[in-house]
Amino acid sequence: MNTNEVMRQLESLGSEQTKKTLCKHGANEPIFGVKIGDMKKFLVKKIKDSDVSRELFATGNYDAQYLAGLTINPKAITKEELLNWAETANCSAINEAIVASLAAETPYAIELAKIWMASGEERIEDTGWSCYANYLSLAPNEEINETEVLELLEQVEKNIHAAKNSVKYTMNQFVICVGTYYPPLLEKAISVAENIGQVHVDMGDTSCKVPLATGYIEKVIEKDRVGKKRKRAIC
């Protein structure tokens, strides 16, 4: 399918109810309101060309950008493109779910995570913490810089409650991901989780809540899933 055909089908799959829900969670116009399950069912396998994915992202449309992330080959995207995608994402949800997750699957994961975390702009910082957290869920333990992750945990412990609103959420997720996916720092992640306690984030007019890091990590331990890596970050 070419880009125009994909956009027409996306529009046909959209619904006002889904659009309303997504907008409550921060999505911006333009948006059709397409369920992720419908994208995967009707469109993902029909997009074979990463250039179509690039064109979809360039539309600025929320649904098109999400689909772009689902369909582009991580091996085909460049560092410069990812930097541009982070800046031109429709909303923070695209930054987290698409840009950060996609970047985590590339050789530029840590480099980009550090650039983004240091940006000073809430949405971009958010992308950086999410990227690093996703990287931990994928990377072999021997490739992870333990000292660096430890320093980041200590940074979270010290700064999370004074951080920007959405950054608090992804910092909390970072702690969870360390405890879930990186056994060498499990005990430190538990300690940090206990010390930060409940993290308060303004989630707008939604029923979403910030997961308690201690409770989440405890469940992972109970299920004997500490260190079980994922095949992909993007989903």
Side-chain angles (χ1 to χ4, degrees), residues 148-207:
E148 184 171 84
V149 177
L150 177 59
E151 290 173 353
L152 289 171
L153 279 175
E154 292 171 346
Q155 183 178 333
V156 171
E157 186 173 24
K158 181 180 179 181
N159 300 323
I160 188 168
H161 294 296
K164 301 175 183 70
N165 190 62
S166 64
V167 178
K168 288 191 284 187
Y169 188 92
T170 44
M171 280 183 162
N172 189 67
Q173 286 297 114
F174 178 82
V175 176
I176 288 172
C177 283
V178 176
T180 300
Y181 298 109
Y182 190 52
L185 288 177
L186 171 61
E187 294 305 318
K188 179 62 177 180
I190 292 171
S191 173
V192 172
E194 289 172 346
N195 288 338
I196 65 176
Q198 184 66 59
V199 177
H200 300 284
V201 176
D202 182 359
M203 307 292 279
D205 184 23
T206 74
S207 59

Side-chain angles (χ1 to χ4, degrees), residues 24-45:
K24 272 190 174 184
H25 285 80
N28 299 307
E29 292 283 0
I31 177 175
F32 298 131
V34 183
K35 294 179 180 178
I36 307 306
D38 286 343
M39 287 187 197
K40 293 179 178 179
K41 182 178 180 180
F42 297 109
L43 284 168
V44 168
K45 292 182 180 179

